[in-house]
Amino acid sequence: MHTYFKTLFRNVKIGVSQAARGPQSLAFVAASILAAYWLGAAALFLTAPLILLAFHAGDPTNRAGPDTGDIGQMREEVERAVKRARKKSLRTACMAVQIDDFDTLLNRYGRATTNLIISCCHDRLARALRSSDQLFDLSNGRIGVLLAPVRQFGLEPALELAERLQSTVQEPISLGNTTAYISVSVGLCLDGHAPNDPGKALLDASLTALDNALRQGPSKVRAYSSGMPAAAPHRVADELEKAFETDQFVSWFQPQISTDTGQISGFEALARWVHPRAGLMLPAEFLPVLAFTGRLEQLGDATLRNALRAIQTWDTIGFDIPHVGVNFSPEELRNPQLAKKIEWELDRCNIAPKRLAVEILETVVATSPDDAITRNINALAEMGCLIDLDDFGTGHASISSIRRFPVNRLKIDRSFVMKVDRDIEQQRMISAILSMTERLGLETLAEGVESAGEHTILSQLGCDHVQGYGIARPMPLDETPDWISAHQAKVHPPPVIGRIVG
Ligand code: C2E
Ligand code: CA
Ligand code: CA
């Protein structure tokens, strides 16, 4: 094994004993899965017991439902099922079902309620499947499905089944006095479609398909195909070095709209990795790798430069874009030089500090951050940058912790926004947040606004800004001018030349 991998793997092992208990185990699990992802299937096999150890040692109530298994057990069962099927000329298939945004769900509802939600997903899947099919708890909101072998089973029926299972699981989940809305992504692989030894590879191929679904998600179904990038890119360190050298990390921009005027109030810069083999990769796939390899700051530098270049581009064209939001990780915020660096960059580009919105996760503020973070936030605010509290509602920040920081705006997390037009409980939550922010004199932005109904009710309830797929998906910088022009034409349509009525 490459020394780099050895070190990484040793860190993973050390992590087990330190992180097996308490909420940190989640971060550790994410890192382990990622190490496995990047180091390849062998590491997944090696780390799987550690992942499970971390999970189960931390919380005895973690197991999701009555019919749970684990990844090792599922592997064995898949191998047995494939052998059995071959002997009788039958066919089986594997699916991996993953709750989207699982960490957000966990933050919002806590471990016990999240377990109830997972348990409900299990029950719904079990009801929709035959009694001979098997379900396995793969941890972290992921459920494995092994279909009992049948005589004829093609790709189309498999996809239809996956979509049916997805719809069943995505029905609202009643939790007594509230309702949870979840979406799931599904990866599947038919016996005979996986590369290499079919018994061993079937589960891995369905996990690769799931990775692809998540990359394009949320709420996507993907079947494994041989052209799919395997879930194990190699030589991570070299790849990252090259990626930064050749500007493979780019920023896409998603607009934010004022509910008052309909005008564009800003854009958020969102990182993308244009990977030479895997194609466009989302932050969920590469941020943990960058965190693992200590390169988050390098990404932050690239994103800041991209954001400032975007402002210059829009200014040159003559568009009025008040500001751009940039996400800052806790690691970056800990750098005592951060405020100076940003000041220098703004100065170099001749851009006023108020054009930069510094997005800080609510969780960072909620957990009484260290002095360096506090100093940076205060220095950036004093300089004139806007401070946005990101993913608000998931981090349990107290009112006093919000008051302690010079926050301008709360970005209300997508989990509160989903179906807000149809669910009275969601409306109550949003109204409570809005009346609190109004009294505190803060602005609000609702994230993840996907439908016209959500947009309308949010403006009616008094939310100041909206951002989400319903307005526009994140786009590369060179697509923004056309989008801005089209949006401006909608808000202020050009005067219609009067028709002469004869
Ligand atoms: P975030 O800051 O909460 O960014 C919003 C995320 O929600 C983005 O995902 C965006 O594409 C997605 N989104 C926007 N509208 C909708 C919608 O209507 N429905 C749904 N389902 N999703 C929507 P993305 O680009 O994958 O980024 C994920 C996270 O990665 C970001 O969450 C942010 O925390 C982090 N991130 C992105 N870029 C950077 C960066 O340059 N540096 C750092 N440190 N973190 C970044
Ligand atoms: Ca953000
Ligand atoms: Ca957010």
Side-chain angles (χ1 to χ4, degrees):
M1 207 191 272
H2 192 287
T3 341
Y4 168 78
F5 292 165
K6 273 191 193 152
T7 318
L8 200 54
F9 191 50
R10 196 170 50 238
N11 289 344
V12 168
K13 283 208 235 176
I14 292 165
V16 175
S17 54
Q18 290 168 348
R21 289 183 182 274
Q24 314 92 297
S25 62
L26 264 186
F28 164 71
V29 168
S32 303
I33 289 170
L34 235 111
Y37 175 96
W38 287 85
L39 301 181
L44 179 61
F45 196 73
L46 287 167
T47 49
L50 301 179
I51 293 167
L52 291 164
L53 171 68
F55 232 65
H56 294 292
D59 184 351
T61 62
N62 181 53
R63 294 183 73 92
D67 282 320
T68 57
D70 60 37
I71 198 155
Q73 191 191 339
M74 183 164 179
R75 245 172 237 292
E76 284 170 20
E77 291 292 338
V78 171
E79 239 176 289
R80 264 201 290 276
V82 169
K83 273 191 198 135
R84 254 195 339 262
R86 291 285 150 91
K87 275 192 200 139
K88 298 181 183 166
S89 304
L90 302 177
R91 221 163 173 208
T92 179
C94 255
M95 291 188 195
V97 180
Q98 168 75 56
I99 300 179
D100 295 318
D101 295 331
F102 183 69
D103 287 350
T104 305
L105 197 76
L106 201 57
N107 265 329
R108 177 164 178 186
Y109 293 108
R111 168 58 64 192
T113 307
T114 303
N115 279 348
L116 287 179
I117 294 172
I118 297 173
S119 195
C120 172
C121 297
H122 268 257
D123 291 347
R124 287 176 179 183
L125 287 171
R127 273 201 302 274
L129 291 162
R130 297 159 302 170
S131 58
S132 47
D133 300 327
Q134 285 174 273
L135 289 176
F136 300 86
D137 176 15
L138 303 184
S139 303
N140 247 4
R142 184 170 288 194
I143 300 169
V145 180
L146 170 60
L147 298 179
V150 286
R151 197 153 300 283
Q152 279 180 337
F153 196 53
L155 193 55
E156 208 143 300
L159 281 167
E160 274 170 21
L161 174 64
E163 277 165 15
R164 212 167 52 242
L165 294 179
Q166 185 190 41
S167 311
T168 314
V169 174
Q170 288 182 172
E171 287 291 315
I173 297 172
S174 173
L175 299 167
N177 55 0
T178 184
T179 304
Y181 298 95
I182 60 160
S183 63
V184 294
S185 296
V186 185
L188 72 93
C189 185
L190 281 182
D191 178 15
H193 286 212
N196 312 322
D197 176 352
K200 287 202 173 57
L202 194 57
L203 174 56
D204 287 338
S206 67
L207 292 172
T208 298
L210 176 63
D211 281 331
N212 278 267
L214 290 169
R215 204 173 293 168
Q216 291 153 34
S219 197
K220 289 281 185 292
V221 173
R222 288 289 175 269
Y224 178 82
S225 71
S226 54
M228 265 181 187
H234 5 263
R235 304 206 315 275
V236 191
D238 293 352
E239 283 205 350
L240 287 177
E241 190 73 49
K242 187 132 191 249
F244 279 109
E245 270 169 25
T246 56
D247 292 331
Q248 289 172 21
F249 286 101
V250 300
S251 298
W252 283 25
F253 295 88
Q254 187 178 34
Q256 302 166 337
I257 302 292
S258 155
T259 53
D260 238 10
T261 63
Q263 301 279 11
I264 299 168
S265 42
F267 275 86
E268 178 174 3
L270 294 158
R272 299 288 181 268
W273 183 358
V274 188
H275 194 282
R277 286 190 311 280
L280 194 72
M281 290 174 71
L282 291 172
E285 297 165 272
F286 61 77
L287 280 182
V289 183
L290 293 184
F292 223 76
T293 50
R295 285 180 182 269
L296 278 177
E297 206 160 342
Q298 223 172 336
L299 175 75
D301 293 347
T303 309
L304 180 65
R305 277 198 305 274
N306 294 338
L308 299 185
R309 196 171 48 237
I311 295 179
Q312 288 174 322
T313 307
W314 296 322
D315 285 357
T316 308
I317 302 174
F319 292 137
D320 176 22
I321 306 296
H323 59 254
V324 177
V326 173
N327 296 283
F328 286 85
S329 61
E331 288 81 350
E332 290 171 85
L333 290 167
R334 242 174 247 126
N335 174 0
Q337 301 304 322
L338 179 73
K340 275 263 156 298
K341 184 163 73 178
I342 293 178
E343 189 174 21
W344 193 82
E345 280 293 327
L346 287 165
D347 211 42
R348 190 177 65 83
C349 299
N350 201 17
I351 290 174
K354 65 171 190 220
R355 312 273 314 268
L356 177 69
V358 176
E359 297 203 7
I360 299 168
L361 290 170
E362 187 201 15
T363 41
V364 172
V365 171
T367 51
S368 38
D370 55 39
D371 289 351
I373 294 186
T374 308
R375 266 199 299 274
N376 269 327
I377 299 176
N378 287 329
L380 288 165
E382 266 164 37
M383 207 193 294
C385 296
L386 303 173
I387 308 290
D388 278 356
L389 215 52
D390 204 357
D391 294 356
F392 183 78
T394 63
H396 312 292
S398 62
I399 292 182
S400 62
S401 64
I402 297 172
R403 295 309 288 159
R404 251 189 300 128
F405 292 96
V407 175
N408 297 90
R409 185 163 72 163
L410 299 189
K411 296 191 75 181
I412 305 169
D413 189 69
R414 168 177 169 254
S415 54
F416 295 92
V417 172
M418 275 165 99
K419 311 255 187 331
V420 66
D421 51 332
R422 284 184 252 159
D423 183 318
I424 189 76
E425 189 58 32
Q426 292 284 83
Q427 276 170 34
R428 282 203 196 106
M429 295 293 279
I430 294 272
S431 300
I433 295 173
L434 293 176
S435 61
M436 176 196 76
T437 48
E438 198 189 345
R439 291 201 189 134
L440 294 175
L442 303 175
E443 286 203 57
T444 46
L445 178 146
E447 295 192 288
V449 177
E450 293 190 351
S451 70
E454 288 168 358
H455 189 157
T456 309
I457 191 89
L458 286 160
S459 354
Q460 282 168 0
L461 292 174
C463 182
D464 304 305
H465 309 270
V466 284
Q467 176 182 348
Y469 294 168
I471 292 111
R473 286 183 175 254
M475 61 191 102
L477 179 62
D478 59 7
E479 285 177 19
T480 55
D482 281 352
W483 190 88
I484 296 169
S485 301
H487 180 79
Q488 285 177 343
K490 263 197 288 181
V491 179
H492 288 306
V496 180
I497 313 279
R499 268 187 301 141
I500 299 167
V501 182

